[in-house]
Amino acid sequence: MSTALHLQRGLRERLRRGEDELTLVEPQGYLTYHPLLAEVAAGSIDPRHVVVPLRRELPDCRVLTARITRIEHATRRAWADAAAKGEPPAPVELDYDVLVLAPGSVSRTAAVPGLAEHGRGFSTVGEAVGLRNHVLEQLDLASTTRDPALRQAALTFVFVGAGYAGVGALAELEDMARYAIRGHHNISPGDLRWVLVEATDRILTEESPELAAHTLAQLRERSVDVRLRTTLESAADRVMALSDGSRFAARTLVWTAGVRPAPLLRETDLPLDTTGRVRCLPTLQVLAPDGRALPGAWAAGDCAAVPDPHADGAPCAPNAQHAFAQAELLAANVLASLDGGPHGAGIVAYRPGAPACSTSLGLGRAVAHTRRGGRLTGRRAWWLHRARHLRRLPSGDRRVRVLMDWALAGLFSREVVSLGKPEQPEFADDRPT
């Protein structure tokens, strides 16, 4: 969407005269701003305010709500499935001159017994809202039941994966749960058990060791049980079996253990690296087998293996900071290639700026990198985190709405009511029996 916004501005007159056509194909009719999903789960932001309607923001762009199923760049053709969920396929063939590939990534799962039945993801608005409702329902269950084993399982929350998504979601929900139990006379903060499982030797592997260590200390001060160098071996029957030999019952299992490139990439004729990402030049042009730029093919974001000059040429990490920066540069390079040919002087290489990542740890708490290489923690980091993401939201309307959500949350108490699951309406049958 960010690339399409910049292309729309640069080609506005040509688009309106019909000289060019800009088409965006996306299964959903909106962009989800993932860095704020943790605050959606905690109830600090209305779920609708972290999604940006594509057609509203891209009035000069042709938006197709469909899923690309195959790309044949050799003939400049793509195939999309425009069928609704549960309906038979409705294939659509699309011809193009320039391809911008940015399908992102999907959650990386593992063959863990019980994960499919009891695990929850955290990559969509629906999953964030569902997790919030589920946590509040577990508090209600624990407050009501007289079965001590069921109560303990309901108050045990396990998160697998200690990246930004896992740490942010756990910290925000732990903060919300502490507030919610004020309404439960028989649950104390010490009854809650939060477990964070990470396979590597530290959390937030993309952060500096100092900031990751500070975050770890913050979580442990809040009695979060962080298990490093540990994996989940089984979740069958809601019994968590970890590689360190521990076993315990838990009714909440959240899987945030990394991402993998979108499966769509395997259905293209574009060159992929060993991880399944599209091989790219620093200019974001797809790298042809002969080492030159593949004409008319560009990629950015999680799906693209773009060399990072600060990491000895290793691909850039799949995070939002790289994705937004690459998207803007990609649009500028495409415009330059249209004006000056494929090797136009205006095409420049991607050079990532200093790390500017952050994550919220609950109300008034966060950790953040500054662009000058500094590190912030506590309330100052929290303000920076919010300001940074407010500025990055690609919609003025959504910025105002999120800002109002934060302002209202500061004036009033938290909303800690579970809305449950949406169900089909039931109609009374008044016919005589």
Side-chain angles (χ1 to χ4, degrees):
M1 176 185 170
S2 184
T3 300
L5 275 171
H6 288 90
L7 288 174
Q8 179 181 254
R9 293 172 191 149
L11 299 171
R12 178 163 282 122
E13 295 304 320
R14 293 165 63 171
L15 290 170
R16 292 179 177 177
R17 290 196 301 265
E19 298 174 9
D20 292 332
E21 184 178 63
L22 186 61
T23 301
L24 178 66
V25 186
E26 163 62 31
Q28 306 293 337
Y30 54 83
L31 164 82
T32 300
Y33 190 73
H34 289 90
L36 293 179
L37 282 183
E39 295 197 49
V40 170
S44 301
I45 299 176
D46 188 300
R48 296 169 299 175
H49 298 167
V50 299
V51 296
V52 182
L54 297 178
R55 291 182 174 86
R56 179 190 299 174
E57 298 297 324
L58 300 168
D60 297 319
C61 180
R62 176 190 180 203
V63 177
L64 300 182
T65 305
R67 185 182 302 278
I68 294 290
T69 57
R70 186 161 64 95
I71 296 174
E72 190 178 274
H73 188 68
T75 59
R76 306 292 176 101
R77 290 185 300 170
W79 288 264
D81 181 7
K85 187 175 181 180
E87 298 293 331
V92 176
E93 184 175 321
L94 303 171
D95 297 321
Y96 64 84
D97 298 300
V98 178
L99 171 70
V100 174
L101 194 60
S105 55
V106 297
S107 297
R108 183 178 64 220
T109 57
V112 176
L115 178 61
E117 295 81 7
H118 307 301
R120 292 175 168 269
F122 195 74
S123 59
T124 68
V125 173
E127 288 174 340
V129 174
L131 179 57
R132 166 186 163 80
N133 290 339
H134 173 79
V135 169
L136 294 174
E137 288 167 1
Q138 299 313 299
L139 299 182
D140 292 336
L141 174 62
S143 179
T144 305
T145 185
R146 295 184 178 181
D147 182 341
L150 178 59
R151 172 188 165 90
Q152 186 175 13
L155 295 178
T156 301
F157 308 91
V158 179
F159 287 68
V160 180
Y164 282 109
V167 170
L170 182 149
E172 287 282 357
L173 285 165
E174 190 271 346
D175 194 57
M176 180 199 73
R178 279 178 178 267
Y179 182 88
I181 60 175
R182 297 179 185 179
H184 298 275
H185 68 282
N186 57 349
I187 302 179
S188 66
D191 295 329
L192 302 175
R193 183 183 183 187
W194 299 84
V195 182
L196 180 60
V197 179
E198 170 57 39
T200 64
D201 60 354
R202 69 184 182 96
I203 66 173
L204 299 179
T205 54
E206 295 177 25
E207 274 294 358
S208 66
E210 297 81 8
L211 203 58
H214 175 84
T215 307
L216 178 61
Q218 289 280 310
L219 293 175
R220 285 177 168 164
E221 282 181 12
R222 291 158 64 172
S223 299
V224 176
D225 183 3
V226 182
R227 307 285 184 95
L228 301 177
R229 299 187 184 90
T230 306
T231 58
L232 178 68
E233 300 294 319
S234 173
D237 300 322
R238 290 200 171 103
V239 175
M240 307 297 125
L242 305 184
S243 61
D244 60 6
S246 58
R247 292 174 60 89
F248 53 88
R251 292 181 56 84
T252 304
L253 171 62
V254 184
W255 184 269
T256 61
V259 296
R260 60 185 177 88
L264 161 66
L265 302 181
R266 298 194 298 268
E267 306 302 324
T268 73
D269 57 355
L270 301 176
L272 308 181
D273 68 0
T274 55
T275 65
R277 299 164 78 180
V278 179
R279 294 182 182 273
C280 289
L281 292 167
T283 55
L284 306 179
Q285 295 164 292
V286 175
L287 178 63
D290 62 4
R292 294 183 293 181
L294 190 64
W298 305 76
D302 290 7
C303 78
V306 180
D308 185 347
H310 302 317
D312 297 325
C316 294
N319 61 38
Q321 180 181 345
H322 286 304
F324 276 106
Q326 290 173 8
E328 185 173 351
L329 177 65
L330 193 157
N333 282 351
V334 168
L335 293 173
S337 71
L338 295 177
D339 293 335
H343 303 291
I347 297 178
V348 299
Y350 175 63
R351 294 193 63 83
C357 301
S358 58
T359 187
S360 174
L361 300 178
L363 286 177
R365 290 174 286 192
V367 292
H369 259 301
T370 65
R371 290 198 177 274
R372 295 182 179 180
R375 295 179 291 273
L376 292 177
T377 59
R379 187 166 290 275
R380 287 195 304 163
W382 184 66
W383 284 113
L384 176 61
H385 170 79
R386 288 195 159 187
R388 182 175 284 165
H389 288 299
L390 195 65
R391 179 175 57 84
R392 286 178 179 171
L393 261 173
S395 167
D397 169 81
R398 288 310 189 253
R399 292 190 197 106
V400 173
R401 291 177 184 272
V402 169
L403 185 60
M404 292 301 298
D405 285 341
W406 285 337
L408 292 173
L411 292 174
F412 302 103
S413 59
R414 281 181 183 261
E415 289 288 350
V416 287
V417 176
S418 169
L419 299 180
K421 299 179 181 178
E423 297 178 356
Q424 288 294 109
E426 296 181 0
F427 299 97
D429 189 350
D430 295 329
R431 293 175 298 178
T433 57

